[in-house]
Amino acid sequence: MQDQSEDLSAALAACAKGDRKALRHIYDSEAGRLVAVAQRILRRRDLAEEAVQEGFIRIWIKAHQFEPGRGSARGWIYAVIRNHALNMLRDGKREDLVTSDKLEELQDREQIDQIMASWQRLESGSRLHECLGALEETRRRTILMAYVGGYTHGEIAGRLRLPLGTAKSWIKRGLSALRECMR
């Protein structure tokens, strides 16, 4: 983890000096997770991708402002993207065509369906596919929501209408069963 942090810090320093390959390196290593962060804020994939694209322009322009002594490079990069996504949200770039409650429910359902479909896309003979398939459906769902969808334990509990402790224990027990199965 320390190497990745130093790597991103060095890449930001190189960006400040005009090295485009460094920006490409940051993009290649972080863009997927950054889109997920922006999508959780904006609730739309297209806007999230736009936020990340524009955020990388800001990273390029403001890389000289990064100070390693004030925090991690990864934290700084994520803050740039997060702040840009929040600004887009405040500026009204996200239009609600249906009531916000209904839209959120539809998006959550679609997101969870996509997360669950990721398990189905695994190679059917793979060990991970078999081990996930051996789990009880609710434990499999919580693990996929946490590790594929990036949901926090609290968000999983809320979406599945479970007590927080139950969601945490299902994830913990599911991961334990997965570790045993993968051995």
Side-chain angles (χ1 to χ4, degrees):
M1 191 63 119
Q2 185 67 22
D3 290 341
Q4 288 177 338
S5 182
E6 290 173 6
D7 193 31
L8 288 174
S9 188
L12 280 174
C15 283
K17 295 176 183 172
D19 184 351
R20 291 180 182 199
K21 288 181 183 176
L23 185 67
R24 181 64 186 191
H25 170 72
I26 295 169
Y27 182 86
D28 289 343
S29 65
E30 300 297 321
R33 289 183 290 269
L34 290 168
V35 169
V37 167
Q39 186 171 348
R40 301 229 355 247
I41 293 167
L42 296 166
R43 300 277 185 209
R44 283 184 39 199
R45 177 76 181 195
D46 60 329
L47 290 179
E49 289 171 355
E50 182 181 331
V52 170
Q53 181 180 0
E54 291 174 9
F56 267 91
I57 293 169
R58 289 179 183 201
I59 289 168
W60 174 254
I61 292 170
K62 297 181 178 205
H64 68 280
Q65 294 177 353
F66 170 66
E67 297 176 27
R70 295 184 64 196
S72 73
R74 178 171 278 124
W76 187 84
I77 291 165
Y78 278 68
V80 169
I81 301 300
R82 181 183 171 277
N83 291 339
H84 185 65
L86 288 170
N87 286 340
M88 287 175 70
L89 191 63
R90 281 187 217 107
D91 293 344
K93 280 204 166 188
R94 184 183 93 172
E95 293 182 19
D96 291 324
L97 302 175
V98 295
T99 63
S100 60
D101 292 343
K102 184 68 173 168
L103 178 63
E104 190 171 319
E105 182 183 320
L106 291 171
Q107 288 172 333
D108 280 347
R109 192 176 319 131
E110 181 181 319
Q111 242 177 350
I112 291 172
D113 289 346
Q114 288 175 357
I115 291 166
M116 296 310 291
S118 67
W119 169 59
Q120 297 298 332
R121 286 191 301 270
L122 283 173
E123 191 175 309
S124 61
S126 74
R127 188 79 178 136
L128 181 58
H129 186 273
E130 290 174 14
C131 291
L132 281 168
L135 291 176
E136 181 186 327
E137 204 267 318
T138 52
R139 284 184 174 80
R140 179 174 52 244
R141 179 178 294 259
T142 58
I143 289 172
L144 290 172
M145 286 176 73
Y147 292 94
V148 176
Y151 289 99
T152 65
H153 291 158
E155 290 170 327
I156 292 168
R159 280 170 175 77
L160 298 179
R161 292 177 177 80
L162 299 170
L164 179 59
T166 301
K168 285 181 176 183
S169 68
W170 283 2
I171 292 169
K172 184 178 178 181
R173 288 184 201 142
L175 287 175
S176 181
L178 266 180
R179 267 188 229 106
E180 281 298 313
C181 181
M182 294 293 288
R183 288 185 184 185

